[in-house]
Amino acid sequence: MQEIVNVRIDDRLIHGQVAAVWSLYTKATRIMVVDDQVVHDTVNKEALKMACPQQCKLSILTVEKAAANLCAGKYEGEKVFLVAKSPRTIRGILDHGFKMEAVNVGNMGGKQNTKMLKKAVSVSDQDIEDFLYLAEHGVKVTAQMVPTEEAVDFTKLIEENGR
């Protein structure tokens, strides 16, 4: 069976923190980008391929395909680092049958109709609903930019600031 070394929400997908810090810290051998739009975007896919660290294989998959591959144990013997832009994507993977223990919230840039819960983490009402759904289904949700930063219980941040 594959080992899931991190499930991270980061709207930048693969960038400096993921490529240079998290992938090394987790000793990932595969980065799995899950995004239903990016999978059809040739330019974005090429950029992700260039940003992916040499020591890692790269998968760019839809929610449905990612869940199917993970449920089937397709990445036998690999250390998989899963990254998605939003909690909606992670919720989709869960709803397609792949159970995960934890989700790490990284960067979620501010957009219209969002509120900042933590530095570099802004959420919409839909994001809050999705995070709470994950938590209700046994997924531990924490926020942590880099491994040296202490992980914060993200559901508490929602309760304190998000509702």
Side-chain angles (χ1 to χ4, degrees), residues 9 21 29 35 47-48 70-72 83 88 95 97-99 106 110-111 117 125-126 129 135-136 141 145 154 157 162:
I9 295 171
V21 181
T29 58
D35 189 280
L48 289 168
L70 291 167
C71 288
V83 64
R88 171 58 44 143
D95 286 345
F98 184 73
K99 305 293 183 230
K111 297 176 196 74
L117 294 189
D125 290 341
Q126 181 65 61
E129 182 184 313
E136 288 163 8
V141 183
M145 279 299 153
F154 198 70
L157 285 178

Side-chain angles (χ1 to χ4, degrees), residues 131-145:
F131 281 123
L132 295 176
Y133 179 89
L134 292 170
E136 288 163 8
H137 286 80
V139 179
K140 181 179 178 182
V141 183
T142 59
Q144 184 179 24
M145 279 299 153

Side-chain angles (χ1 to χ4, degrees), residues 2-8 14 18-19 22-24 26-34 52-61 66 69-70 73-83:
Q2 70 260 342
E3 177 185 353
I4 306 302
V5 294
N6 199 350
V7 177
R8 182 171 173 85
I14 301 177
V18 168
W22 281 105
S23 66
L24 292 173
T26 61
K27 297 178 175 57
T29 58
R30 175 177 299 276
I31 294 178
M32 177 185 287
V33 173
V34 183
C52 187
Q54 275 189 315
Q55 76 273 13
C56 293
K57 296 174 186 167
L58 176 64
S59 296
I60 303 170
L61 304 169
N69 286 359
L70 291 167
K74 181 175 179 180
Y75 308 106
E76 180 73 35
E78 294 188 50
K79 294 176 182 262
V80 180
F81 185 125
L82 191 153
V83 64

Side-chain angles (χ1 to χ4, degrees), residues 10-161:
D10 194 317
D11 61 9
R12 301 166 297 176
L13 298 174
I14 301 177
H15 58 92
Q17 284 178 352
V18 168
V21 181
W22 281 105
S23 66
L24 292 173
Y25 176 78
T26 61
K27 297 178 175 57
T29 58
R30 175 177 299 276
I31 294 178
M32 177 185 287
V33 173
V34 183
D35 189 280
D36 288 345
Q37 280 74 48
V38 171
V39 81
H40 301 293
D41 181 339
T42 308
V43 173
N44 218 330
K45 285 184 356 186
E46 286 305 312
L48 289 168
K49 288 175 187 174
M50 289 190 302
C52 187
Q54 275 189 315
Q55 76 273 13
C56 293
K57 296 174 186 167
L58 176 64
S59 296
I60 303 170
L61 304 169
T62 64
V63 169
E64 191 173 341
K65 185 67 172 171
N69 286 359
L70 291 167
C71 288
K74 181 175 179 180
Y75 308 106
E76 180 73 35
E78 294 188 50
K79 294 176 182 262
V80 180
F81 185 125
L82 191 153
V83 64
K85 290 183 180 181
S86 75
R88 171 58 44 143
T89 300
I90 303 303
R91 179 177 178 166
I93 294 168
L94 184 73
D95 286 345
H96 277 87
F98 184 73
K99 305 293 183 230
M100 61 201 80
E101 292 179 23
V103 173
N104 167 275
V105 182
N107 196 74
M108 292 179 66
K111 297 176 196 74
Q112 192 172 4
N113 298 317
T114 62
K115 56 186 141 212
M116 186 180 288
L117 294 189
K118 183 181 183 305
K119 183 181 175 192
V121 180
S122 296
V123 296
S124 67
D125 290 341
Q126 181 65 61
D127 293 332
I128 290 171
E129 182 184 313
D130 292 333
F131 281 123
L132 295 176
Y133 179 89
L134 292 170
E136 288 163 8
H137 286 80
V139 179
K140 181 179 178 182
V141 183
T142 59
Q144 184 179 24
M145 279 299 153
V146 292
T148 55
E149 178 183 292
E150 186 175 340
V152 176
D153 182 337
F154 198 70
T155 54
K156 283 187 180 172
L157 285 178
I158 291 172
E159 290 167 7
E160 293 168 3
N161 307 302

